[in-house]
Each structure stands twice: as structure tokens, then as C-alpha cells.
Amino acid sequence: MPDDKTILLVEDNPDDVALTLRAFRKQNIHNEIVVAEDGVEALDYLHGRGRYSGRDASQQPTIILLDLQLPRMNGLEFLKELRSHPETKLMPVIVLTSSNEERDLVESYSRGANSYVRKPVEFSEFLNAVQTLGLYWLLINTRPPQAK
Amino acid sequence: MPRSGMRRHRLWMTLAIAVLVVDVIAGILVTRRQTLFHAEISQSYLVLLQLQAILSSLQDMETGQRGYLLTGDHDFLEPYLRGRRQLDGQIDQALRTSRNNPEHYQNLLKLRAAASTRTITLEENLNIFEAEGLDPARAHVRLGYGKREMDSVRALIGGLIRDERNRLDSRLHRASHYSQFMLISLLGGAVAVVLLLIWCFVLLTRELKGRAERTRDLERRVEERTRRLTEVNQELEAFCYSVSHDLRAPLRSISGFSEALLEDLGPRLEEQECDYLRRVVAASKRMGVLIDDLLNLSRVSREEVRKDELDLSAEAQAVAEECRRGGEYDGVAVEIQPQLTAKGDRRLIRIALVNLIDNAFKFTRPVEAPRIQVSQVAEQNGERIFCVTDNGVGFDMEYVHKLFSPFQRLHRPQDFEGTGIGLAIVRRVVQRHGGRVWAESIPGQGTRMYFTLPKEDSIHAG
């Protein structure tokens, strides 16, 4: 698979990070994966500030994998921020969460999530999900034009 | 408080009515008594008139005779003749009037005798005058009988009039006293009734005010309780949310890293070591399902029940198709009665149907020609009875009471997977729609799961 497309993974649980990275590796998805532990850090990355000051903000990730339950700025708040900036408002966001509460679904979509995937307990099922995700979002889907 | 208040108020009301009744009865009695008094007073006046009439008749007779004797002119005799004509009748009338008063009656009899004597004497005078002329008649008068007789008559009548006057006075006196007394009593009664009614009104107003106060108090308490319940509900929701999220995360780690080990070390591990790791993975998966089921049970208890027009046939069809998606149940004959309708919450009913139909598929797995039916069996008392029938392994009716309680299983998990929460969820959903759920089964022949749903709006919130 082409590896010029970056994936931003917003996830605070190191176990989940490790498992997600493993799943991508197992599915032969070798894109660069940047991990942000919460919404604030993810925004810093996108806008090239804080820890990421000096980063070339014109190079933006192809997809964002977003957990909802996060410290400081949670996933829904991050989504709202993301959609309110012209440079980031079109970025594809896939919510990847344990929750299957209806209100989380509704809130995520109404704040502009592009997809909602519930993390299964079983790793093999998660592998399947990651494979499908990678195939669709990295290969099949045509990404929106990068904002200037 | 409210009961004793009502009782007190009723007591005063009763008292007011009692006083009013007594007052009215007294009024009636007084009126009758006064009529009696008036009759007595009228009688006294009548007696006095009669006595006057008797006296005036006797005086007429006397005057008439005197004129006649003086003039010899028959015209002057007219008053005498008139008095003579009337006297007996007048005395009889007076006797009749006074027949209830023995003393008066006796005196009247004496008067009659005296009047009769006087009449006889007058008649004798006339006879003498007509037969022998004026002088013998004068001589006869001069004897003085007539004057004495007339004096005696006057005295008798005077006595009688005096008696009757006295009687009349005392009667008038009594009547006036009596009416004064009764006026005061009746007025007093009326005032008492009015006062009692005012008091009742005061009590009633106070009672109503107290009741309104208590109602407001109750409303305040209901509000307070509702607020607390809402708080608790919100807390519970937050709790369930964090359970669903936080409890699954470590499970994912356990399962995920066990699988990673299995994959990475698989070829180097003993079969038993692999088996252990697989067990860890399987247990994590079971716990994941358990958490999901518990959350579902809690959700169907918490969520508001909406009232949608449901096409149960379509819902059941969709659920059955979903169950068959894996291809595992391709050999199962599914019959769903068309046009089954009910009123209820689409999402909740869907959850119930998923559990019922999934069970039916599960328990027909070992059967030769598996068959599942969804149908309406009856409609009565405003509810529809639906049934999910299968020809699966069934269960022993001895344990039917455990069927709908959470975590109760009638089969070994090795034979049929499941958490034992599914039918508890079904029961909760049906109960929240105001319906009932029950089961009939014969081991080895199949199971019939019945549930009712109201035809119209009678869905309970609880």
C-alpha cells in the first residue's frame, strides 16, 4: 500500500495503541501512524504548534482515527474544534470507540464524523475491521482536496 | 388531620340543621297555640256582645212598655215586642256559646230565670193595662216588683260582663306574653342557626385552605422526588456508560495480547499452552458479550417507551434474516404470519424479537428439520397474543419459573452459548409495554414463547 498517506490515531490507552498498530502491521498497512493522546495534542499536531511546532502543517493526515473517551479534550469536543477550522474541516474522521450508546453515535455523526466503528473485544474481529477500514479509506475513498 | 377536620365540620353542620328543625317545629306549634288563643279571645268578645244584646233587649222591652203605658199608643209598644221576640233566642245563643264554661253557664241560667220573671211581670202589667186601664196597671208597677226584677237582671248581666271582661283581660295578657316569648325564642333560634352556619363556613374555608396547603406540599414533595430520581437516573446512565467503555478496554487488551502471543509464539508453544491462551481469548469474548447484555437489560429498563405503529411481521422478518446472515441456519424453515401489527417502541420490540428469534434458531440447531413460526394466536381484552414457536430441544416445564430471570440458564453453555440475560430483557421490554410473557415447552418437541402487546395506547412508563 502507498505509504505517503499519514494516519492520525487519537487514543490515550497505550494497550489500544499497541493493538491498533499491530493490527495495521498485520494487515500490511505501512502508512506512517502518528499517535496523539488526547484532543489537545491532536490539534497541536494538525496546526503545527506546541510539541509539534515547526511541523509542516500543509502535510495533513489522510484519515483520523478518533477515540471518544479522552483526557483533557474528549473526542466529541475535538470533532467540534476540527470542523470549525477551514484547514481541517473536510478531514475524514473515523470514530473508533468502545461505546455503543445511541447518543454517542448521534453526537458523533451530528458533529461531522465520517464513520463510526465500535472496537470489538476480540482481536481477530478488530483485525477484520482494520482491514476493511484501511482498504476503504486509504484505497477506495477519494480524499477531499487539501486546504491551502 | 383532614378526617377529624371533616368530622368536626360535619358535627357543626348537623347541629345547625337540628336547631333549624327545632325552630321550625316550635314555629308550627306556636302558630297553632296562637290560633287557639285568638279563638278564646274572639269567644270572649262574642260573649260580651251577646250579654249586651240581652241587656239591650230587656231595656227595649222596658222602654217600649213605659211609652205604651204613658201614651196608650200601640206604636210605642214596638221596642217591647221586638225585645220580646229576640230575648229567648239571644239567651239560648249565649247558653250555647258558654256551654263549656259551667260557672258562666249557671249564671246564664240564672239570668234566663230572672229575665223570664221580668218578662212575666211586664206581661202582667200589659194585661192589666189592657183589661183594666192605666191606673190598676200603675198600681201594679208601683208594687215595685218590676224594678227589683230589673235590678236583679242588671246585676246578673253586670256580673257576667265583669267576669267575661276579666277573662278577656287575662286572655289578652297571656296571648301577648306568649307571642312576645315565642318571638324572642324563634328569633333566637334563627340567630343561632345563622351563627352556626357562619361557623360551619369558617371551618369549611379553613379545611379547604388546609387541604390546598397539603396538596401544594404533596406537589412539592413529588417534584423533589422526581428531581432526585432524575439525578439518580442520570448517575446510573453515566455509570452504565463508563461500564460499557472502561470495562471493555482491559478485556480488549487481555484478548488482543493473548491472540498476539498465540500468533507470534504459536509454532513454538506446546498444544496445552496454546489451549490456555485460546481459553483466555474465549473468556474475554464471553465477558464482552455479558457486558453488552447487561447494558441492554439496563437500557430497556431506563429508556422511555415510545408508541410507534409496528409492522411486527416486517420486524420479525428482518430479525430472522439478520440471524441467518452467517449461513449457519440456512436449513431452518421460517414462517412469519403476514400483517402482524401492534403498538410499541420499535427499538425495544426489535431487541425482544432478536432475543426470541435468536433463541429459536439456537435451540433448533440439533433438530433434523428445524422450523420456526411467528404468529398471532389470539386477540382478547384489548391485547394481542403473539407466539414464537420452534421445534427445538425444548426444556423441562419444572424450571419454567427460572426462565425469565437474569443469569438463569436451562442448558449447559457448552451446548448452547448465551449469558442467560436474553429472556430477562424480553420480559422487561414486554412488561414496559403493559404486556405479559410466558412459555410452554415439551423437551425434545419444541417451545412456544408467548407475549402480549396492547392493541391501543396503554403503555406503562414503569
Side-chain angles (χ1 to χ4, degrees):
Chain A
M1 283 193 196
D3 53 1
D4 60 323
K5 295 174 179 172
T6 312
I7 297 168
L8 175 61
L9 173 64
V10 191
E11 170 66 79
D12 65 319
N13 183 340
D15 284 1
D16 275 356
V17 172
L19 288 171
T20 310
L21 293 180
R22 182 184 165 88
F24 274 86
R25 206 166 59 238
K26 282 273 158 191
Q27 298 297 344
N28 288 317
I29 301 170
H30 299 295
N31 301 54
E32 187 194 353
I33 299 178
V34 177
V35 179
E37 289 194 357
D38 57 55
V40 178
E41 200 183 321
L43 285 175
D44 282 354
Y45 174 79
L46 293 174
H47 296 294
R49 61 191 186 204
R51 238 180 82 187
Y52 297 97
S53 61
R55 193 185 81 82
D56 178 7
S58 68
Q59 293 301 308
Q60 294 293 31
T62 304
I63 52 171
I64 298 172
L65 299 177
L66 178 67
D67 190 15
L68 289 184
Q69 205 81 321
L70 296 167
R72 294 204 284 178
M73 180 187 282
N74 72 27
L76 293 174
E77 289 161 350
F78 169 77
L79 256 179
K80 197 178 162 194
E81 278 294 311
L82 191 78
R83 293 301 181 224
S84 65
H85 283 88
E87 313 93 82
T88 55
K89 70 173 179 191
L90 297 178
M91 241 170 241
V93 173
I94 298 147
V95 173
L96 194 60
T97 176
S98 307
S99 164
N100 68 341
E101 289 284 318
E102 190 180 64
R103 64 189 162 126
D104 277 342
L105 259 167
V106 172
E107 277 296 299
S108 297
Y109 278 115
S110 59
R111 290 180 189 214
N114 302 83
S115 180
Y116 189 104
V117 177
R118 196 180 178 217
K119 292 182 207 167
V121 167
E122 222 180 352
F123 187 69
S124 52
E125 286 175 31
F126 187 52
L127 275 183
N128 291 337
V130 166
Q131 187 191 23
T132 315
L133 265 178
L135 183 69
Y136 178 77
W137 286 104
L138 297 174
L139 289 179
I140 299 174
N141 186 50
T142 304
R143 55 181 294 178
Q146 288 264 4
K148 294 277 176 264
Chain B
M1 260 309 280
R3 286 199 64 91
S4 83
M6 273 312 282
R7 214 174 298 153
R8 207 171 49 198
H9 160 247
R10 224 174 275 159
L11 198 77
W12 285 106
M13 200 68 176
T14 313
L15 191 61
I17 291 170
V19 171
L20 188 66
V21 167
V22 168
D23 218 33
V24 167
I25 291 173
I28 293 168
L29 290 178
V30 167
T31 314
R32 286 177 62 179
R33 192 73 187 271
Q34 258 172 349
T35 315
L36 211 69
F37 283 169
H38 283 137
E40 281 180 358
I41 289 165
S42 314
Q43 197 191 16
S44 283
Y45 280 120
L46 183 64
V47 168
L48 286 174
L49 283 174
Q50 284 169 344
L51 289 170
Q52 292 289 350
I54 291 167
L55 182 63
S56 109
S57 289
L58 282 164
Q59 279 169 344
D60 281 355
M61 284 165 71
E62 186 115 342
T63 314
Q65 196 200 43
R66 194 176 298 139
Y68 180 54
L69 290 185
L70 284 174
T71 60
D73 186 347
H74 258 94
D75 286 351
F76 284 94
L77 200 57
E78 180 50 34
Y80 169 83
L81 291 173
R82 197 176 55 230
R84 183 94 174 78
R85 264 200 315 276
Q86 288 175 345
L87 186 63
D88 284 348
Q90 284 169 336
I91 291 176
D92 284 348
Q93 215 171 20
L95 278 169
R96 269 202 302 281
T97 307
S98 299
R99 65 180 177 276
N100 290 328
N101 185 343
E103 194 192 345
H104 197 77
Y105 195 80
Q106 287 305 317
N107 286 333
L108 277 175
L109 287 179
K110 278 186 204 157
L111 177 63
R112 185 163 73 176
S116 160
T117 314
R118 178 68 192 130
T119 311
I120 290 167
T121 309
L122 282 173
E123 213 162 322
E124 276 174 8
N125 269 349
L126 275 182
N127 288 340
I128 291 167
F129 174 70
E130 279 178 355
E132 301 167 28
L134 184 61
D135 286 336
R138 267 190 192 158
H140 188 255
V141 170
R142 230 177 269 128
L143 284 176
Y145 291 121
K147 188 176 179 303
R148 276 197 301 279
E149 283 162 11
M150 195 57 196
D151 286 347
S152 141
V153 163
R154 274 185 218 284
L156 271 172
I157 288 182
L160 278 169
I161 285 177
R162 225 174 12 257
D163 280 357
E164 201 54 45
R165 280 245 166 84
N166 286 339
R167 203 171 293 130
L168 177 62
D169 275 354
S170 87
R171 279 173 179 176
L172 282 171
H173 196 68
R174 198 171 52 169
S176 118
H177 261 269
Y178 186 74
S179 51
Q180 224 164 19
F181 168 72
M182 281 328 288
L183 190 69
I184 287 166
S185 321
L186 291 179
L187 261 178
V191 168
V193 168
V194 168
L195 285 178
L196 279 170
L197 285 177
I198 289 172
W199 179 235
C200 283
F201 180 74
V202 168
L203 281 180
L204 200 64
T205 312
R206 217 182 278 169
E207 172 71 22
L208 287 177
K209 216 182 274 176
R211 211 171 277 186
E213 184 58 43
R214 279 194 295 280
T215 310
R216 269 199 299 280
D217 191 47
L218 262 180
E219 276 168 3
R220 267 199 299 276
R221 274 159 59 190
V222 168
E223 239 166 64
E224 170 72 10
R225 203 158 293 173
T226 310
R227 199 176 53 73
R228 267 167 45 200
L229 270 178
T230 313
E231 272 174 22
V232 168
N233 224 17
Q234 278 167 353
E235 270 170 31
L236 189 68
E237 227 162 283
F239 173 76
C240 287
Y241 182 80
S242 80
V243 162
S244 106
H245 192 273
D246 299 345
L247 235 52
R248 288 170 64 93
L251 273 184
R252 253 193 331 272
S253 300
I254 295 168
S255 163
F257 291 116
S258 301
E259 272 189 59
L261 280 178
L262 204 55
E263 272 176 34
D264 295 354
L265 302 178
R268 281 184 280 153
L269 290 177
E270 295 290 322
E271 182 47 37
Q272 197 178 32
E273 290 162 340
C274 288
D275 180 51
Y276 289 165
L277 283 173
R278 273 187 223 107
R279 281 171 192 267
V280 172
V281 172
S284 311
K285 187 183 178 185
R286 268 207 309 282
M287 189 159 168
V289 175
L290 199 59
I291 290 171
D292 281 352
D293 277 358
L294 272 176
L295 282 174
N296 270 333
L297 180 60
S298 137
R299 192 174 297 150
V300 299
S301 304
R302 275 182 292 140
E303 272 177 16
E304 206 174 305
V305 179
R306 291 185 307 233
K307 297 164 197 169
D308 309 315
E309 295 289 345
L310 295 181
D311 180 349
L312 271 191
S313 303
E315 297 287 335
Q317 193 64 51
V319 170
E321 271 161 28
E322 206 171 293
C323 290
R324 304 174 83 145
R325 197 176 286 165
E328 190 188 350
Y329 297 122
D330 284 347
V332 183
V334 178
E335 294 166 32
I336 294 169
Q337 186 181 330
Q339 285 159 344
L340 297 179
T341 58
K343 218 161 197 182
D345 187 297
R346 179 167 284 113
R347 281 194 47 207
L348 291 180
I349 295 293
R350 183 72 177 252
I351 291 172
L353 283 176
V354 165
N355 281 293
L356 287 172
I357 293 174
D358 189 55
N359 272 353
F361 275 114
K362 199 162 69 184
F363 293 115
T364 48
R365 242 171 359 209
V367 175
E368 278 285 320
R371 203 176 63 250
I372 296 173
Q373 285 169 293
V374 179
S375 57
Q376 178 178 321
V377 291
E379 177 168 342
Q380 58 189 36
N381 305 332
E383 59 178 19
R384 292 184 176 142
I385 304 176
F386 300 99
C387 184
V388 177
T389 312
D390 67 59
N391 61 345
V393 294
F395 61 85
D396 191 338
M397 284 297 278
E398 195 183 329
Y399 304 110
V400 72
H401 61 283
K402 291 185 166 183
L403 203 59
F404 296 98
S405 310
F407 303 113
Q408 295 290 343
R409 297 173 42 86
L410 303 186
H411 300 278
R412 296 188 309 164
Q414 297 93 303
D415 298 338
F416 299 101
E417 74 287 350
T419 54
I421 294 176
L423 288 181
I425 291 176
V426 171
R427 180 172 68 172
R428 198 74 194 105
V429 168
V430 172
Q431 275 177 348
R432 293 208 61 194
H433 285 78
R436 298 167 290 131
V437 56
W438 69 99
E440 287 169 5
S441 185
I442 301 169
Q445 291 194 22
T447 304
R448 295 171 75 84
M449 303 292 301
Y450 296 95
F451 64 99
T452 69
L453 286 175
K455 205 162 57 177
E456 295 302 325
D457 299 354
S458 62
I459 289 169
H460 300 299

